[in-house]
């Protein structure tokens, strides 16, 4: 018989607060058109994107994260000292070590929490949320700060007609804490490594040397990604609804990864979501911010009154890897 004492965690976990930060510089399509042969009409028809935010030199991954985290902490009604773990999902922190989560934890005033980064592309927020839920139920932390943050303008090839217009910068954060009722459903997640080349960094850091190679950028096979997202991710979203015991007509809000407006609209159609469901379409003014896109969209829906506290929301992220994660949550 095991002598290990059982964990003393909460019965369930919930999102308690949300915060977001968008860089001050707004970049319209006209700026992108200076470096690619395209048109505003083409960009909007292909992606639904009209503007995106690009970070200044001062708006670092850490700085944006601290701003978003501060708002989430205040929204949750806790103090930074109560945070037991900090999870940061990003692909655009360019130091291999230490994890940017440790710097963010210190600047937020969290004391000495567990702190680490994860790399799960556009599904990173869902991965972080699932890890946070496990920590709280297991009892290793009472409150967990989960951040999705990107400076994708640093990884954008402005001469690539297929991707130059897609990416934006920003940070989104949530506080996950204990709950007496289910408020974060089972996660349906996974990966399809045979499609890893579909979205990738052009060259590895070991291949890159100043003067020897063009600085790495993100590239993708647009049509392959579109087909995969529309057909396969709609199935994953349905599986998450089924796992949570939620029918489409019981859903209040749908917050998919803000990759492309056409993908979002196609998923809504495939899932047969009723018109009563509020759908996040933050991509129009924020662009694709990868791991930050879901919490940023969530924060905007709540701030504008399009969604309200207690609403039932389906969230799904998908991207490079190819990886994905979907779950049903109660909004804070």
């Amino acid at each position: 018989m095991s002598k290990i004492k059982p964990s003393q965690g909460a019965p369930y976990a919930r999102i308690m607060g949300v915060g977001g930060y968008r860089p001050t510089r707004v970049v319209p399509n006209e700026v992108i058109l200076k470096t690619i042969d395209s048109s505003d009409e083409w960009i909007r028809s292909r992606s639904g994107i009209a503007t995106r935010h690009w970070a200044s030199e001062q708006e670092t991954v850490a700085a944006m994260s601290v701003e978003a985290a501060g708002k989430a902490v205040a929204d949750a009604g806790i103090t930074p000292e109560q945070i037991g773990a900090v999870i940061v999902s990003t692909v655009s922190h360019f130091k291999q070590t230490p994890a940017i989560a440790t710097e963010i934890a210190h600047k937020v005033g969290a004391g000495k929490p567990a702190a680490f980064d994860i790399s799960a592309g556009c599904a990173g927020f869902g991965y972080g949320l699932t890890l946070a839920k496990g920590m709280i139920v297991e009892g290793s932390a009472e409150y967990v700060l989960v951040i999705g943050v990107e400076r994708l303008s640093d990884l954008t090839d402005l001469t690539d007609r297929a991707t130059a217009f897609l990416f934006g910068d920003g940070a989104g954060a949530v506080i996950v804490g204990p709950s007496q009722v289910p408020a974060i459903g089972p996660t349906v997640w996974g990966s399809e490594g045979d499609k890893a080349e579909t979205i990738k960094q052009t060259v590895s850091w070991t291949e890159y040397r100043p003067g020897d190679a063009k600085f790495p950028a993100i590239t993708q096979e647009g049509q392959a990604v579109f087909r995969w997202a529309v057909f396969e991710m709609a199935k994953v979203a349905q599986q998450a609804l089924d796992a949570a015991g939620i029918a489409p007509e019981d859903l209040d809000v749908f917050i998919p990864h803000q990759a492309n407006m056409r993908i979002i609209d196609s998923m809504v159609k495939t899932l047969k979501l009723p018109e009563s469901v509020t759908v996040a379409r933050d991509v129009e003014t924020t662009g694709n911010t990868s791991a930050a896109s879901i919490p940023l969209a969530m924060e905007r829906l709540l701030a504008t009154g399009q969604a309200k506290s207690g609403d039932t929301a389906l969230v799904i992220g998908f991207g490079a890897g190819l990886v994905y994660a979907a779950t049903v949550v109660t909004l804070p």
Side-chain angles (χ1 to χ4, degrees):
M1 179 180 290
S2 174
K3 297 179 180 180
I4 298 173
K5 182 181 177 180
S7 299
Q8 300 295 318
Y12 306 104
R14 66 187 177 102
I15 300 175
M16 299 179 60
V18 61
Y21 180 82
R22 292 172 172 82
T24 56
R25 183 188 177 193
V26 177
V27 179
N29 288 338
E30 286 72 19
V31 172
I32 308 298
L33 296 175
K34 294 178 181 179
T35 52
I36 60 171
D37 180 17
S38 188
S39 68
D40 178 65
E41 180 182 6
W42 186 88
I43 293 174
R44 288 175 185 255
S45 66
R46 297 288 292 182
S47 68
I49 299 172
T51 61
R52 74 285 292 147
H53 296 256
W54 282 356
S56 66
E57 185 177 344
Q58 291 73 35
E59 291 168 317
T60 63
V61 167
M64 292 190 294
S65 296
V66 170
E67 290 291 329
K71 295 176 183 178
V73 168
D75 193 41
I78 67 169
T79 64
E81 294 81 6
Q82 292 176 278
I83 297 171
V86 177
I87 303 171
V88 178
S89 178
T90 184
V91 299
S92 48
H93 169 53
F94 293 152
K95 287 185 178 180
Q96 195 71 33
T97 190
I100 194 65
T102 58
E103 178 183 341
I104 294 166
H106 172 68
K107 290 183 175 179
V108 168
K112 298 180 180 180
F116 58 94
D117 300 348
I118 59 174
S119 178
C122 306
F125 175 74
Y127 275 52
L129 188 65
T130 303
L131 293 173
K133 173 186 173 183
M135 290 178 182
I136 290 159
V137 173
E138 186 270 339
S140 60
E142 185 175 12
Y143 300 101
V144 181
L145 171 61
V146 179
I147 300 170
V149 57
E150 301 292 2
R151 270 182 57 119
L152 294 180
S153 57
D154 292 333
L155 287 168
T156 298
D157 180 354
L158 293 178
T159 65
D160 181 1
R161 189 172 184 269
T163 62
F165 57 88
L166 287 176
F167 302 118
D169 303 337
V174 297
I175 293 292
V176 182
S179 175
Q180 295 302 310
V181 296
I184 301 176
T187 300
V188 177
W189 58 352
S191 65
E192 297 183 29
D194 60 314
K195 301 179 180 67
E197 294 293 303
T198 308
I199 306 173
K200 64 180 181 179
Q201 184 173 306
T202 49
V203 296
S204 71
W205 295 114
T206 54
E207 293 175 273
Y208 171 73
R209 295 289 185 275
D212 295 338
K214 192 174 182 179
F215 192 80
I218 295 175
T219 183
Q220 68 176 31
E221 298 173 15
Q223 286 301 315
V225 173
F226 181 86
R227 289 192 298 269
W228 176 76
V230 169
F231 297 109
E232 298 304 320
M233 292 305 97
K235 297 176 186 176
V236 171
Q238 184 61 59
Q239 290 170 15
L241 287 173
D242 294 341
I246 300 294
E249 56 269 23
D250 297 325
L251 203 62
D252 299 307
V253 184
F254 179 43
I255 311 177
H257 165 49
Q258 302 294 292
N260 179 303
M261 195 75 80
R262 292 168 61 212
I263 291 175
I264 294 171
D265 290 341
S266 295
M267 290 182 72
V268 169
K269 184 177 180 180
T270 302
L271 289 168
K272 298 180 180 178
L273 297 182
E275 292 185 6
S276 59
V277 175
T278 298
V279 180
R281 291 187 170 88
D282 195 45
V283 66
E284 181 180 4
T285 57
T286 306
N288 180 342
T289 56
S290 189
S293 78
I294 290 175
L296 277 175
M298 182 184 295
E299 187 261 353
R300 175 162 281 174
L301 289 176
L302 290 166
T304 58
Q306 296 176 71
K308 63 183 185 300
S309 175
D311 278 353
T312 299
L314 168 63
V315 299
I316 179 170
F318 45 85
L322 293 171
V323 296
Y324 55 87
T327 188
V328 176
V329 303
T330 301
L331 294 182

